[in-house]
C-alpha cells in the first residue's frame, strides 16, 4: 500500500512536471494553455516589434494569425481632403477669441463658477477614424491523424509564441515572433518524428491572406510578387490609406510556389503560397507598412501625413531577412538577443514566487482573486507574471514609429473602441518605462514633436488666439481641435518629457526634443492663464477647464493647476541644461508661477477639491482620479511643501496647509472615489491608477486589492471583465509594473533641483510579498537601485549614480526613518545593509 502510494505520488509528480508544453521557459516566465484560443480579447496571444503586431490562437492544422500595422488608421486626410484635425477655420479666429472671452466671463460670473457647455468652441470629430486590424494570415498544414499532446505558450523570456502538438507519430512545433531589428515577423513550422513514423518530410503547407475574418476590412489585391512571395495591397476604406504586406516563404529541401487564382469579374485578385517536401522546417517572413508618414504632419506638408507608396522600402526590408543563406536559427537568435538586451537584461523583479507549472494560465486566472480588503493569499506567481507581461507588452509595441495606443498595437476589426486612440490612457502606458529601465519612449516624444506640435500651434492660434506654443485635444493625424469638451491637456504629457530627462540626464535628447516640447506647451499655458475673476484673489487659473470626462465646465480645475505648476517647475529645472538663452521666457514663467493657483484646496468634507469652487460630491465614484494627479504620477500632492506651495487663498483668508493635511485630504478624496467597479466603467486602468495612489499613501492592503481585477486568461486587461467578449484596453497592463514599483520603491519628483529627493524603500509592501528583490530599477536624478528584502524588511540596497547625473541631494528612507542623507556625484555608489 505504502509502495503504491509512493508510486502514485511519483507518477503524479511526473505528470505534473510534464504538463507545461515542451520548451516552456523553466523560469516559469510565460503563459500557457492546453487548448486553442477562441475569443480574441481573452485568449489569443500577442507578439510585436513596434512596427507590426500579431495575435495567435495557437491553431494546429489550421492557424489564423491576426495582423496589425502600427499606422493603419481609417479616416484623417486620407479619407477627407478637407480634414483639418477637428479645427476651426482661420476666418473664425476673431469669433473664437470673442467666444472664449464671453465663456470666461460667464464662468467667473456664475454663482457656482461653472457653465453648461462650450459648444461654440467645439467641432465635429469628422473623419477622426480608428486604428484598424490589417487582416489575417492563414496557414494550412496537411498533416493527418488525431491531434494529441497539444500545448501553446507565450515565452516572456524570448518574446515568442509557440504551439506544439503530436499527430501521426510526429511532433510539430509552430513559432511566431516579430523582430525589431529586422522589422519583420516570422512564423516557423517544423517537426521531428521517430524513425518508424510515416512522416518523412514536412506535410504540405499553404499560406493565404484573409480580409473576410477582419470585420469591415475591404478585400485587397492578393497577388504573387514572385514564386515565393505573396503581395497584399489594399485600402482600409475607399478612399483612404494604402497598406501592403509582403509574405515570403522559405522551405529548405522543399519547393515553394505561389499560385494566383483566376480572377472572376468584379472580385479582387487572390493567390496563395504552397510549400511541399520541406526536409524538416518551413517559415514565412512578412513585412508590412502603409503610406502614412510622420514627417508629413506639418504645415509645409499641408498636414497630409502622406508618404510614398511603401512598396520599395518593403521590398528591400524583406530582402535583408530572406537571403538564401538566412537560416531560421539566425533570425530567431537575433530577435532574442535584441529583446533581452532591451527588456530582461537591464531589469529584473523577483517576488519570491514559485512557478506553478502544473496549472494552465487560464485556470490560474479563474482561481485568482483578492478579497476587498486585500487580505487573501493572492498568487505571487500571477502577480510576477502580470508585472513581466506589462514590460513585455510595452517593449513589443513601443519601439516603432508611433507610440503605443489604447490597445498597444494589437487591435482586431477596423473600428475599435474609442478608436484605440491616445488621450490620458496612453500617458499611463509609459508610466513604467523610466522606473523599470525600459528605454522605449523616444518614438513617443518624436511623435509629440512631429504629429501634435505643428497642428497644435494652429489650434492655439485659431481657438485661443495664442501665437506661441501649442495645444492638442487628441491624437493621430494631428487631431488637435476640441471634440466634445476635453480641456487642453497637453500639459500632462509634459510630465513624461521632464521625467525622461530627469531619469536619464540625456542632455543631447533634452536639447533636441525634450526642451522644445516643454517650451512649446509652457508658452501656450503662459498666455492661456487668466486672473481669477470669481474669487478675485489675483491668482492665475485655467478657464474654462474640466476634469477629464467629467462635468462641470469651470475654472481653476485642480488637475490643470497642479500640472501647470509642475510644468513651470520643469521649465526652471531644465532651463540651464537646454542651452536656451531666452531668459525673458524663463522670467515670465517664474512670474506666472508665483501667481499661479497651485490647485491644492481642502474642501468642506475634508477632501482635496477637484475644482477651485468647492463642489465635490462625496458619492462621486468617477473613474478618473483627476485632482489626485499630483499624488500619482505627479508630485504636487505627494511632495507637498508648504514653504513653496503655501499659503492658499480660501474664502478671503490665507491658510497654509501642512503636508500631512494635504495627504489626508488626498486620501479622503481617494477613498470616496470608490474602487472603480461602477456601472459606467469597470475597467482595469482605473484600478491600476488607484493601486499606485494607495501605494503612494503607504496603504499596502488596498494597493494590493486594487491590482487583482480585470485580467483575462491571456492576461489582457479588460474594460468589463464580465462581458463574454470584453474590450481589451492595454493601459492597465502597462501601468501594472509602475503600480507595483510604487509599492516597492518611491522617489516622487520635487519642485526644485535643490529640494532633496526622498527615496523610500518598501513604502507599501503587502504582507503577501515578504521577500524579493529588484535589480536595475531607476529613480530620478540618474540613480540606479538594486534592492533585496526578506521577512518584509529590506536587507540590502545599492544606489549607483550615473556618470551623466546632475548632482542632487537625496534622502534614503525606510519605515519613516532616514537611513542616509547625501549629495550625489556622478559615478557615486552607496550600499546600505543595516535598516
Ligand atoms: C487542461 O488543463 C485542465 C486543468 O489542468 C484540465 O482539467 C484539462 O483536462 C486539460 N485539458 C486537456 C485537453 O488536457
Ligand atoms: C488676439 O490677440 C491679439 C494679441 O494679444 C490681440 O491684440 C487681439 O485683440 C486678440 N483678438 C481678439 C479678437 O480678441
Ligand atoms: C450652450 O450654452 C448656451 C448658453 O448658455 C445655450 O444658449 C445653448 O443652448 C447651449 N447649447 C447646448 C448644445 O447645450
Ligand atoms: C494531403 O496529404 C495527403 C496524404 O496524406 C494527400 O493525399 C493529399 O493530396 C494532400 N493534400 C494536399 C492539399 O496537399
Ligand atoms: C523543431 O521542433 C522540435 C519539436 O518537434 C524542437 O525540439 C526543435 O528544436 C525544433 N527545431 C527548430 C530548428 O526549431
Ligand atoms: C483568398 O483565398 C484564400 C484561400 O482560399 C481564402 O481563405 C481567402 O479568404 C481569399 N482572400 C480573399 C481576399 O478573398
Ligand atoms: C487592385 O487591382 C486593381 C486591378 O485589378 C487595381 O485597379 C487597383 O488599383 C489595385 N489596388 C491596389 C490597392 O493596388
Ligand atoms: C467595490 O466597492 C463596492 C461598494 O463598496 C463593494 O460592494 C464591492 O464589493 C467592491 N468590489 C471590489 C472588487 O472591491
Ligand atoms: C470679483 O470682482 C468682480 C468685478 O470685477 C465682481 O463682480 C465680483 O462680485 C467679485 N467677486 C468677489 C467674490 O468678490
Amino acid at each position: 500500500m505504502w509502495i503504491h502510494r509512493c508510486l502514485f505520488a511519483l507518477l503524479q509528480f511526473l505528470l505534473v512536471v510534464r504538463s507545461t508544453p515542451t520548451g516552456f521557459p523553466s523560469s516559469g516566465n510565460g503563459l500557457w494553455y492546453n487548448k486553442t484560443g477562441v475569443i480574441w480579447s481573452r485568449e489569443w496571444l500577442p507578439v510585436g516589434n513596434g512596427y507590426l503586431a500579431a495575435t495567435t490562437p495557437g491553431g494546429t492544422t489550421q492557424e489564423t494569425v491576426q495582423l496589425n500595422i502600427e499606422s493603419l488608421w481609417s479616416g484623417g486626410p486620407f479619407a477627407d481632403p478637407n480634414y483639418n484635425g477637428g479645427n476651426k477655420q482661420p476666418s473664425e479666429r476673431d469669433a473664437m477669441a470673442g467666444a472664449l472671452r464671453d465663456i470666461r466671463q460667464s464662468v467667473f460670473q456664475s454663482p457656482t463658477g461653472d457653465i453648461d457647455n462650450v459648444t461654440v468652441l467645439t467641432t465635429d470629430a469628422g473623419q477622426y477614424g480608428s486604428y484598424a486590424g490589417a487582416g489575417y494570415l492563414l496557414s494550412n498544414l496537411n498533416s493527418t491523424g488525431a491531434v494529441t499532446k497539444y500545448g501553446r505558450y507565450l515565452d516572456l523570456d524570448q518574446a515568442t509564441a509557440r504551439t506544439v502538438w503530436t499527430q501521426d507519430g510526429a511532433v510539430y512545433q509552430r513559432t511566431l515572433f516579430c523582430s525589431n531589428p529586422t522589422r519583420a515577423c516570422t512564423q516557423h513550422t517544423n517537426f521531428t518524428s521517430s524513425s518508424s513514423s510515416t512522416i518523412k518530410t514536412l506535410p504540405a503547407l499553404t499560406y493565404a491572406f484573409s480580409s473576410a475574418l477582419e470585420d469591415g476590412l475591404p478585400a485587397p489585391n492578393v497577388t504573387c510578387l514572385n514564386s515565393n512571395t505573396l503581395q497584399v495591397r489594399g485600402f482600409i476604406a475607399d478612399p483612404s490609406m494604402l497598406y501592403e504586406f509582403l509574405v515570403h516563404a522559405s522551405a529548405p529541401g522543399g519547393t515553394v510556389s505561389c499560385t494566383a487564382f483566376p480572377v472572376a469579374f468584379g472580385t479582387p485578385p487572390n493567390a496563395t503560397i504552397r510549400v511541399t517536401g520541406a526536409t524538416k522546417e518551413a517559415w514565412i517572413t512578412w513585412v508590412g507598412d502603409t503610406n502614412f508618414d510622420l514627417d508629413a504632419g506639418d504645415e509645409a506638408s499641408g498636414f497630409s501625413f502622406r508618404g510614398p507608396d511603401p512598396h520599395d522600402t518593403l521590398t528591400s526590408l524583406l530582402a535583408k531577412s530572406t537571403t538564401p543563406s538566412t537560416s531560421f536559427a539566425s533570425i530567431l537568435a537575433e530577435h532574442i538577443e535584441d529583446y533581452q538586451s532591451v527588456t530582461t537584461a537591464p531589469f529584473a523583479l523577483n517576488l519570491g514566487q514559485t512557478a506553478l507549472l502544473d496549472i494552465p494560465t487560464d485556470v490560474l486566472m479563474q482561481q485568482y482573486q483578492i478579497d476587498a480588503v486585500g487580505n487573501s493569499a493572492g498568487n505571487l506567481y500571477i502577480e510576477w507574471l502580470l508585472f513581466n507581461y506589462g514590460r513585455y507588452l510595452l517593449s513589443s509595441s513601443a519601439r516603432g514609429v508611433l507610440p503605443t495606443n489604447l490597445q498597444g498595437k494589437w487591435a482586431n476589426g477596423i473600428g475599435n473602441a474609442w478608436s484605440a486612440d491616445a488621450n490620458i490612457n496612453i500617458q499611463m502606458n509609459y508610466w513604467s518605462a523610466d522606473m523599470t529601465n525600459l528605454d522605449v519612449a523616444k518614438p513617443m516624444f518624436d511623435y509629440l514633436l512631429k504629429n501634435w506640435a505643428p497642428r497644435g500651434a494652429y489650434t492655439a492660434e485659431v481657438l485661443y488666439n495664442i501665437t506661441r506654443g501649442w495645444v492638442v485635444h487628441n491624437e493621430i493625424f494631428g487631431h488637435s481641435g476640441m471634440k466634445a469638451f476635453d480641456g487642453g491637456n497637453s500639459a500632462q504629457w509634459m510630465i513624461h518629457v521632464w521625467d525622461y530627462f530627469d531619469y536619464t540626464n540625456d542632455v543631447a535628447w533634452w536639447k533636441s526634443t525634450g526642451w522644445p516640447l516643454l517650451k512649446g506647451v509652457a508658452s501656450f499655458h503662459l498666455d492661456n492663464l487668466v486672473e481669477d475673476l470669481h474669487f478675485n484673489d489675483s491668482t492665475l487659473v485655467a478657464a474654462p477647464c474640466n476634469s477629464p470626462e467629467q462635468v462641470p465646465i469651470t475654472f481653476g480645475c485642480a488637475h490643470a493647476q497642479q500640472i501647470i505648476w509642475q510644468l513651470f517647475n520643469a521649465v526652471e529645472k531644465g532651463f540651464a541644461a537646454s542651452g536656451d538663452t531666452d531668459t525673458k521666457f524663463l522670467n515670465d514663467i517664474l512670474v506666472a508661477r508665483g501667481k499661479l493657483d497651485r490647485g491644492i484646496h481642502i474642501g468642506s468634507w475634508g477632501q482635496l477639491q477637484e475644482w477651485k469652487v468647492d463642489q465635490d460630491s462625496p458619492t462621486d465614484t468617477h473613474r478618473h482620479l483627476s485632482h489626485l494627479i499630483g499624488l500619482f504620477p505627479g508630485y504636487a500632492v505627494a511632495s507637498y511643501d508648504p514653504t513653496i506651495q503655501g499659503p492658499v487663498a480660501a474664502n478671503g483668508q490665507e491658510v497654509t496647509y501642512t503636508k500631512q493635511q494635504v495627504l489626508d485630504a488626498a486620501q479622503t478624496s481617494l477613498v470616496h472615489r470608490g474602487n472603480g467597479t461602477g456601472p459606467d466603467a469597470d475597467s482595469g486602468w482605473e484600478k491600476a491608477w488607484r493601486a499606485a495612489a494607495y501605494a503612494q499613501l503607504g496603504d499596502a492592503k488596498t494597493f494590493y486589492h486594487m491590482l487583482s481585477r480585470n485580467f483575462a486568461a491571456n492576461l489582457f486587461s479588460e474594460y468589463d471583465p464580465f462581458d463574454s467578449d470584453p474590450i481589451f484596453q492595454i493601459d492597465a497592463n502597462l501601468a501594472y509594473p509602475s503600480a507595483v514599483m510604487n509599492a516597492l520603491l518611491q522617489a516622487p519628483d520635487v519642485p526644485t533641483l535643490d529640494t532633496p529627493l526622498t527615496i523610500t524603500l518598501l513604502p507599501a509592501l503587502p504582507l503577501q510579498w515578504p521577500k524579493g528583490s529588484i535589480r536595475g530599477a531607476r529613480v530620478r536624478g540618474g540613480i540606479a537601485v538594486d534592492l533585496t528584502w526578506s521577512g518584509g524588511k529590506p536587507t540590502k540596497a545599492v544606489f549607483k549614480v550615473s556618470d551623466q547625473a546632475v548632482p542632487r541631494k537625496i534622502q534614503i528612507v525606510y519605515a519613516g526613518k532616514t537611513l542616509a542623507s547625501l549629495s550625489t556625484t556622478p559615478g557615486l555608489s552607496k550600499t546600505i545593509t543595516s535598516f
Side-chain angles (χ1 to χ4, degrees), residues 221 233-235 242 269:
N221 295 342
R233 274 170 76 83
F235 292 103
L242 169 75

Side-chain angles (χ1 to χ4, degrees), residues 372 675 677 705 709:
N675 56 23
T677 59
H705 170 61
R709 215 169 137 105

Side-chain angles (χ1 to χ4, degrees), residues 234-459:
F235 292 103
I236 177 85
D238 179 23
S240 67
M241 203 184 259
L242 169 75
Y243 70 97
E244 173 164 327
F245 283 111
L246 297 178
V247 186
H248 175 281
S250 307
T255 310
V256 179
S257 59
C258 185
T259 309
F261 300 154
V263 179
F265 179 73
T267 60
N270 197 356
T272 58
I273 299 192
R274 206 170 137 76
V275 165
T276 51
T279 319
K280 59 188 180 76
E281 58 173 354
W283 67 94
I284 47 171
T285 301
W286 68 92
V287 291
D289 206 349
T290 69
N291 58 346
F292 173 85
D293 183 1
L294 185 64
D295 289 316
D298 56 9
E299 197 163 1
S301 308
F303 299 105
S304 72
F305 293 96
R306 193 180 288 263
D309 188 316
H311 178 73
D312 292 345
T313 315
L314 290 177
T315 312
S316 52
L317 211 52
L318 186 68
K320 281 188 218 150
S321 315
T322 57
T323 65
S325 62
T326 310
S327 68
F328 171 72
S330 67
I331 322 176
L332 179 61
E334 182 184 26
H335 162 64
I336 294 172
E337 205 271 322
D338 165 72
Y339 168 74
Q340 294 183 341
S341 71
V342 171
T343 315
T344 55
F347 176 93
L349 171 76
N350 186 315
L351 287 178
Q353 72 284 343
T354 304
L356 302 173
L357 299 176
D358 52 340
I359 308 172
T361 310
D362 50 338
V363 179
L364 282 180
M365 289 312 288
Q366 266 165 24
Q367 297 164 353
Y368 181 59
Q369 104 186 59
I370 309 292
D371 71 20
V373 285
N375 269 335
S376 35
N379 186 321
L380 291 172
Y381 177 50
I382 291 177
E383 288 143 13
W384 177 74
L385 277 181
L386 279 165
F387 184 96
N388 293 345
Y389 194 53
R391 294 183 77 250
Y392 164 80
L393 290 172
L394 185 58
S395 175
S396 304
S397 59
R399 295 196 291 149
V401 171
L402 292 169
T404 63
N405 62 46
L406 189 47
Q407 296 186 195
K409 300 275 166 77
W410 296 277
N412 189 17
I414 75 158
N416 278 277
W418 300 281
S419 303
D421 70 4
N423 58 29
I424 184 168
N425 310 73
I426 309 317
Q427 200 244 8
M428 183 181 272
N429 283 357
Y430 289 87
W431 279 356
S432 66
D434 288 327
M435 43 182 109
T436 73
N437 209 350
L438 193 56
D439 194 355
V440 298
K442 277 188 173 140
M444 191 258 285
F445 299 124
D446 288 344
Y447 162 82
L448 298 182
L449 200 61
K450 292 176 175 178
N451 199 323
W452 280 14
R455 183 110 72 189
Y458 174 81
T459 306

Side-chain angles (χ1 to χ4, degrees), residues 533-673:
L533 297 180
H534 184 84
F535 290 117
N536 300 328
D537 58 8
S538 49
T539 61
L540 293 176
V541 291
C545 64
N546 68 335
S547 282
E549 302 181 351
Q550 246 208 118
V551 288
I553 298 168
T554 176
F555 69 95
C557 304
H559 178 257
Q561 302 298 136
Q562 292 174 21
I563 291 181
I564 294 169
W565 182 71
Q566 294 189 183
L567 173 67
F568 288 180
N569 291 339
V571 167
E572 186 188 28
K573 290 187 280 186
F575 185 78
S578 74
D580 195 331
T581 53
D582 186 355
T583 49
K584 165 146 192 340
F585 167 70
L586 176 64
N587 283 333
D588 289 350
I589 290 284
L590 298 184
V591 169
R593 186 184 62 182
K595 292 200 247 168
L596 187 69
D597 181 290
R598 278 90 193 226
I600 309 274
H601 300 273
I602 298 177
S604 56
W605 45 279
Q607 87 281 17
L608 191 74
Q609 284 175 218
E610 186 155 3
W611 306 280
K612 191 161 179 181
V613 175
D614 184 355
Q615 53 183 322
D616 307 60
S617 157
T619 56
D620 178 1
T621 56
H622 196 271
R623 52 198 175 274
H624 282 278
L625 303 180
S626 304
H627 48 320
L628 303 181
I629 190 133
L631 182 63
F632 188 91
Y635 66 91
V637 172
S639 300
Y640 188 83
D641 183 345
T643 67
I644 296 177
Q645 286 161 280
V648 173
N651 304 322
Q653 292 171 358
E654 294 220 316
V655 283
T656 300
Y657 306 128
T658 63
K659 180 175 181 182
Q660 196 56 49
Q661 284 175 319
V662 170
L663 289 174
D664 289 348
Q667 183 176 34
T668 299
S669 289
L670 182 59
V671 170
H672 282 259
R673 221 36 164 204

Side-chain angles (χ1 to χ4, degrees), residues 140-210:
N140 238 294
L141 179 69
N142 188 26
S143 53
T144 53
V147 171
T148 59
K149 298 188 180 155
Y150 174 87
R152 66 183 176 110
Y153 63 94
L154 183 66
D155 180 335
L156 302 180
D157 282 338
Q158 304 201 334
T160 53
R162 264 209 181 117
T163 308
V164 294
W165 72 95
T166 299
Q167 247 182 317
D168 203 7
V171 178
Y172 293 93
Q173 177 174 292
R174 194 180 280 121
T175 306
L176 173 68
F177 60 90
C178 296
S179 155
N180 183 271
T182 63
R183 298 193 180 196
C185 299
T186 300
Q187 186 202 76
H188 174 266
T189 309
N190 79 334
F191 79 106
T192 49
S193 61
S194 58
S195 52
S196 62
S197 167
T198 56
I199 312 296
K200 302 297 180 202
T201 58
L202 188 65
L205 263 165
T206 308
Y207 299 107
F209 181 86
S210 164

Side-chain angles (χ1 to χ4, degrees), residues 719-791:
Y719 176 69
D720 177 357
F722 299 106
D723 195 301
S724 58
D725 188 2
I727 296 168
F728 164 46
Q729 288 183 312
I730 206 168
D731 34 14
N733 284 115
L734 302 190
Y736 191 97
S738 68
V740 168
M741 288 301 287
N742 210 41
L744 303 176
L745 182 66
Q746 279 173 12
D749 203 358
V750 284
T752 74
L753 288 176
D754 301 329
T755 315
L757 269 179
T758 300
I759 303 175
T760 305
L761 308 179
L762 306 178
L765 186 72
L767 288 175
Q768 290 84 348
W769 299 346
K771 68 175 180 159
S773 62
I774 301 171
R775 169 177 59 73
R778 296 189 307 177
V779 295
R780 51 191 75 249
I783 302 169
V785 184
D786 293 344
L787 176 65
T788 310
W789 67 96
S790 181

